[in-house]
Amino acid sequence: MYHLLKLVRTIKNKHIYQSRYYCSITNESSKETSYDRGLEEARELIEEMRLSGRQVPQQISDADLEHFASIKSKKQRKNFMTFMYRRECLRLKDKEKRLEKREQRKIESEESKEYETPLANTLFLKRNQRILESDNWKLSQGMKFGQNVVFDFCYDQYMQRRDAIGLCMQMGYVIHANKKAKESFHIHFVNHLEGSLSHKELVRTTTKDAYNKMMVTMSSQSLLEKFPKENIIYLSPDSPNIMRTFDDTKTYVIGALVDATQIKKGLSLGIAKRLNVSHVRLPIDYYLKWGSGGNKNLTLDQVIKILSAMKETNDWKEAMKHVPIRKHTGMKTCGQNQPTSSGQEPAAKDNFIFSRALRP
């Protein structure tokens, strides 16, 4: 009798296990089916938008299609497609320019061959490889001996995906600007968590190989875990303190945020106060004349260029030359509305939006 009950219990448990196993398989297959159905509906909707004359890119990646399918709002879907369409137009325009330059170089080389000896260019056969090695050497020197400049990646929750894409593009410009500087900085990424929005987009836009070879120091640690509090100066557009001179013993921190969709005011200043670190803002309003419709937003690479110029010359007028001329109408005269010696702004203050790139 005991053996019979044991056999019945074993058969019953086996039946329950098999039913649960088949149920889990059914649930997984239904999830995959609904996922594929959602992507197919997204493709059909994009095709309808293209036929109706909307701004839609000709090609869209799987990651972008998946993100489009996850958007519920019609307005956000339209804005995302417009953003991707403009990016594609910029890429095609850049490609055309590169092809034109290539053709021009080809024509010039063919013309110059008539006047060259057979071994005239043997010295420059590996020119591109040597330039690349030289650039990497310069950045590696900056990583060993350069001054620390930190990008704080703690703002992912305040960005949409299109903002993260813009941030990754600007980071490429930052590294290029650092490469061209006379004295390269040692660039750090802090709060750079694996799997975060900015990390995913940075890996996707640069490819895995280029991301691993990027000449910066990346860390998931917080700012205060990496650097001593007394050496930190946080650049914030909302800070009441004005940066007067460049201190090459300090660590300058820039918020890794691009808020093109909606300006987030006061975030970087709040973070600097919460960390209890020093904070300043660049005195662009005291050295540049702004028109009625002047855009006072600075990109991250423009900020790096200004810091590099200040490190080399300690002259704000030279540093402000890196602000594009389309944004202002010229330099102010010496002493006109300049910051006071204490670093605080004068009583007659012009309210302005400092920098979208530095916004918290």
Side-chain angles (χ1 to χ4, degrees):
M1 187 66 180
Y2 171 75
H3 293 292
L4 182 61
L5 289 173
K6 187 176 180 181
L7 180 62
V8 170
R9 192 179 296 115
T10 304
I11 294 172
K12 186 177 180 181
N13 291 339
K14 186 176 181 181
H15 175 70
I16 293 172
Y17 173 76
Q18 288 179 347
S19 62
R20 289 178 179 174
Y21 175 72
Y22 288 128
C23 286
S24 64
I25 291 177
T26 306
N27 291 335
E28 289 177 0
S29 62
S30 63
K31 287 180 181 178
E32 290 178 358
T33 306
S34 61
Y35 174 77
D36 295 337
R37 191 184 303 117
L39 292 182
E40 190 62 33
E41 290 175 357
R43 289 191 185 93
E44 292 176 358
L45 181 59
I46 291 173
E47 191 61 30
E48 289 177 5
M49 294 173 68
R50 180 180 289 110
L51 293 175
S52 62
R54 299 277 180 85
Q55 293 182 340
V56 178
Q58 294 297 326
Q59 296 180 350
I60 185 167
S61 65
D62 294 338
D64 293 332
L65 182 65
E66 184 178 350
H67 177 71
F68 178 80
S70 66
I71 300 175
K72 303 301 180 184
S73 170
K74 290 184 179 179
K75 185 176 180 180
Q76 289 182 357
R77 285 185 171 185
K78 179 183 174 182
N79 291 340
F80 181 69
M81 281 293 103
T82 304
F83 170 70
M84 297 302 298
Y85 171 78
R86 290 176 179 173
R87 282 194 65 209
E88 186 180 62
C89 290
L90 288 175
R91 284 199 301 269
L92 292 175
K93 191 177 293 185
D94 291 341
K95 186 176 180 181
E96 289 178 1
K97 289 181 180 179
R98 289 196 300 270
L99 290 175
E100 288 177 1
K101 289 181 179 179
R102 187 183 301 172
E103 290 295 326
Q104 185 66 26
R105 287 195 300 267
K106 187 176 179 181
I107 293 172
E108 291 176 357
S109 63
E110 288 177 354
E111 291 176 353
S112 61
K113 280 180 182 178
E114 300 176 2
Y115 307 99
E116 290 178 355
T117 58
L119 299 177
N121 284 334
T122 53
L123 182 62
F124 304 100
L125 289 177
K126 297 184 179 180
R127 178 176 61 90
N128 293 335
Q129 184 179 357
R130 289 172 182 171
I131 290 175
L132 180 62
E133 290 174 356
S134 174
D135 291 341
N136 289 340
W137 177 84
K138 191 173 183 181
L139 290 175
S140 64
Q141 289 294 104
M143 293 181 71
K144 288 181 180 179
F145 309 111
Q147 182 179 356
N148 294 325
V149 170
V150 183
F151 287 91
D152 191 359
F153 280 79
C154 66
Y155 301 97
D156 281 4
Q157 57 183 320
Y158 304 108
M159 288 192 297
Q160 297 182 12
R161 184 167 179 269
R162 58 182 294 184
D163 298 327
I165 293 173
L167 172 65
C168 297
M169 293 174 64
Q170 290 192 27
M171 281 302 163
Y173 301 146
V174 164
I175 295 173
H176 181 73
N178 189 41
K179 186 191 304 180
K180 296 298 181 183
K182 290 183 179 179
E183 298 182 26
S184 297
F185 291 115
H186 183 185
I187 295 179
H188 295 260
F189 292 173
V190 298
N191 291 311
H192 190 56
L193 304 176
E194 187 175 355
S196 62
L197 176 63
S198 55
H199 174 267
K200 288 179 180 178
E201 290 303 322
L202 201 58
V203 172
R204 189 182 68 84
T205 54
T206 59
T207 70
K208 191 74 174 178
D209 249 6
Y211 175 80
N212 292 332
K213 294 178 181 177
M214 198 176 292
M215 303 295 283
V216 297
T217 300
M218 302 181 188
S219 174
S220 59
Q221 292 180 309
S222 66
L223 180 62
L224 296 183
E225 289 175 340
K226 286 283 291 182
F227 303 97
K229 183 186 295 186
E230 58 273 10
N231 291 342
I232 294 175
I233 297 180
Y234 213 112
L235 294 178
S236 170
D238 304 301
S239 174
N241 306 319
I242 301 170
M243 182 177 174
R244 292 181 51 78
T245 58
F246 184 87
D247 190 347
D248 54 9
T249 64
K250 298 294 185 180
T251 298
Y252 288 93
V253 183
I254 303 170
L257 171 66
V258 174
D259 51 356
T261 52
Q262 182 181 0
I263 294 177
K264 315 292 191 307
K265 186 174 178 61
L267 284 178
S268 58
L269 181 60
I271 287 178
K273 288 183 176 180
R274 188 167 68 247
L275 296 176
N276 195 20
V277 297
S278 301
H279 48 83
V280 296
R281 62 186 171 100
L282 300 178
I284 59 172
D285 202 50
Y286 297 96
Y287 288 91
L288 299 176
K289 296 178 183 178
W290 302 97
S292 58
N295 181 6
K296 300 179 182 179
N297 302 326
L298 300 182
T299 59
L300 298 178
D301 58 295
Q302 290 167 4
V303 177
I304 283 291
K305 290 176 182 178
I306 290 174
L307 292 180
S308 297
M310 282 300 295
K311 182 178 177 64
E312 295 167 9
T313 64
N314 204 23
D315 184 1
W316 279 114
K317 289 190 175 181
E318 285 295 322
M320 291 303 162
K321 290 180 180 178
H322 294 288
V323 180
I325 193 65
R326 67 178 182 274
K327 293 179 177 286
H328 60 89
T329 58
M331 301 288 292
K332 288 185 176 180
T333 57
C334 184
Q336 180 183 354
N337 200 21
Q338 298 295 318
T340 61
S341 58
S342 62
Q344 297 286 337
E345 54 192 342
K349 173 187 173 183
D350 295 333
N351 294 325
F352 66 99
I353 298 173
F354 169 57
S355 168
R356 184 174 298 169
L358 290 184
R359 245 175 221 295

